[in-house]
Amino acid sequence: PELLLATFTCLKCNLEVSGIEQQLRYALPQVCKNPQCNNNSRMQWNLELDKSIFCDWQRIRVQESPDEIPAGSLPRSFDVVVRDEMVEQVKAG
Protein backbone atom coordinates (compact mmCIF):
# COMPACT_ATOMS: atom_id res chain seq x y z
CA PRO A 1 0.00 0.00 0.00
CA GLU A 2 0.96 3.63 -0.56
CA LEU A 3 0.52 6.20 2.22
CA LEU A 4 -1.53 9.18 0.94
CA LEU A 5 -2.62 11.15 4.02
CA ALA A 6 -0.89 10.52 7.32
CA THR A 7 -1.92 11.08 10.90
CA PHE A 8 0.86 11.39 13.47
CA THR A 9 0.99 11.62 17.25
CA CYS A 10 3.59 13.84 18.90
CA LEU A 11 5.55 11.68 21.35
CA LYS A 12 6.28 14.69 23.58
CA CYS A 13 2.73 15.95 24.22
CA ASN A 14 0.46 13.31 22.55
CA LEU A 15 -1.20 15.83 20.23
CA GLU A 16 -2.60 14.20 17.09
CA VAL A 17 -1.79 15.89 13.77
CA SER A 18 -3.77 14.68 10.76
CA GLY A 19 -3.91 15.39 7.04
CA ILE A 20 -0.15 15.35 6.39
CA GLU A 21 -0.03 14.84 2.62
CA GLN A 22 2.59 12.43 1.32
CA GLN A 23 4.12 13.34 -2.05
CA LEU A 24 6.88 11.11 -3.44
CA ARG A 25 8.54 10.77 -0.02
CA TYR A 26 7.66 10.09 3.62
CA ALA A 27 6.76 13.48 5.16
CA LEU A 28 6.54 14.18 8.89
CA PRO A 29 5.04 17.28 10.53
CA GLN A 30 7.55 20.14 10.62
CA VAL A 31 6.64 21.25 14.14
CA CYS A 32 4.02 20.29 16.74
CA LYS A 33 0.96 22.58 16.69
CA ASN A 34 0.78 22.59 20.49
CA PRO A 35 2.25 25.99 21.53
CA GLN A 36 3.58 24.54 24.80
CA CYS A 37 5.41 21.70 23.01
CA ASN A 38 6.94 22.97 19.74
CA ASN A 39 8.40 19.54 18.96
CA ASN A 40 10.47 19.86 15.77
CA SER A 41 12.39 16.59 16.03
CA ARG A 42 11.96 14.05 13.22
CA MET A 43 12.30 11.22 15.74
CA GLN A 44 9.45 12.31 18.03
CA TRP A 45 6.45 11.36 15.87
CA ASN A 46 4.43 8.14 15.70
CA LEU A 47 2.47 7.23 12.54
CA GLU A 48 -1.12 6.26 13.41
CA LEU A 49 -1.80 3.51 10.87
CA ASP A 50 -5.51 3.14 11.65
CA LYS A 51 -6.13 6.89 11.17
CA SER A 52 -4.04 7.31 8.01
CA ILE A 53 -5.23 6.81 4.42
CA PHE A 54 -3.57 4.26 2.14
CA CYS A 55 -4.23 3.06 -1.41
CA ASP A 56 -3.11 0.11 -3.53
CA TRP A 57 -0.58 0.79 -6.28
CA GLN A 58 1.26 -1.10 -8.98
CA ARG A 59 4.15 -0.28 -11.31
CA ILE A 60 3.60 -1.36 -14.92
CA ARG A 61 6.28 -1.44 -17.61
CA VAL A 62 5.01 -0.61 -21.11
CA GLN A 63 7.27 -1.74 -23.96
CA GLU A 64 7.20 -1.44 -27.73
CA SER A 65 6.37 -4.62 -29.54
CA PRO A 66 9.60 -6.16 -30.90
CA ASP A 67 7.70 -6.98 -34.13
CA GLU A 68 7.13 -3.28 -34.85
CA ILE A 69 10.70 -1.97 -34.61
CA PRO A 70 13.59 -2.19 -37.09
CA ALA A 71 15.86 -5.24 -36.93
CA GLY A 72 18.75 -4.76 -34.49
CA SER A 73 16.95 -2.09 -32.46
CA LEU A 74 16.03 -2.45 -28.80
CA PRO A 75 12.39 -1.89 -27.86
CA ARG A 76 11.78 1.28 -25.86
CA SER A 77 9.93 1.06 -22.56
CA PHE A 78 8.62 3.27 -19.76
CA ASP A 79 7.08 2.70 -16.34
CA VAL A 80 3.58 3.75 -15.32
CA VAL A 81 2.24 3.77 -11.75
CA VAL A 82 -1.45 2.95 -11.35
CA ARG A 83 -3.50 3.27 -8.18
CA ASP A 84 -6.76 2.08 -6.63
CA GLU A 85 -9.18 0.43 -9.08
CA MET A 86 -6.57 0.21 -11.87
CA VAL A 87 -4.36 -2.18 -9.85
CA GLU A 88 -4.37 -5.76 -11.24
CA GLN A 89 -6.29 -4.69 -14.39
CA VAL A 90 -3.44 -4.89 -16.92
CA LYS A 91 -2.65 -8.21 -18.55
CA ALA A 92 0.80 -9.11 -19.91
CA GLY A 93 1.16 -9.25 -23.67
Side-chain angles (χ1 to χ4, degrees), residues 27-41:
L28 293 164
Q30 297 293 317
V31 65
C32 183
K33 294 180 181 180
N34 180 349
Q36 286 80 33
C37 177
N38 290 322
N39 170 19
N40 61 0
S41 170

Side-chain angles (χ1 to χ4, degrees), residues 43-55:
M43 304 306 289
Q44 295 291 316
W45 296 97
N46 185 51
L47 175 63
E48 300 295 334
L49 296 174
D50 59 328
K51 296 178 181 177
S52 298
I53 299 174
F54 295 84
C55 76

Side-chain angles (χ1 to χ4, degrees), residues 62-73:
V62 180
Q63 180 177 313
E64 283 183 299
S65 173
D67 300 335
E68 297 176 4
I69 59 173
S73 296

Side-chain angles (χ1 to χ4, degrees), residues 9-85:
T9 299
C10 174
L11 296 177
K12 286 187 174 181
C13 71
N14 290 322
L15 180 75
E16 192 172 276
V17 179
S18 61
I20 305 298
E21 192 171 346
Q22 306 295 304
Q23 293 183 353
L24 305 176
R25 63 178 181 84
Y26 185 64
L28 293 164
Q30 297 293 317
V31 65
C32 183
K33 294 180 181 180
N34 180 349
Q36 286 80 33
C37 177
N38 290 322
N39 170 19
N40 61 0
S41 170
R42 295 185 52 81
M43 304 306 289
Q44 295 291 316
W45 296 97
N46 185 51
L47 175 63
E48 300 295 334
L49 296 174
D50 59 328
K51 296 178 181 177
S52 298
I53 299 174
F54 295 84
C55 76
D56 288 335
W57 71 279
Q58 180 181 19
R59 183 187 337 255
I60 299 168
R61 176 158 291 160
V62 180
Q63 180 177 313
E64 283 183 299
S65 173
D67 300 335
E68 297 176 4
I69 59 173
S73 296
L74 292 174
R76 294 176 290 185
S77 65
F78 60 93
D79 291 340
V80 177
V81 174
V82 295
R83 292 180 175 87
D84 294 323
E85 66 275 350

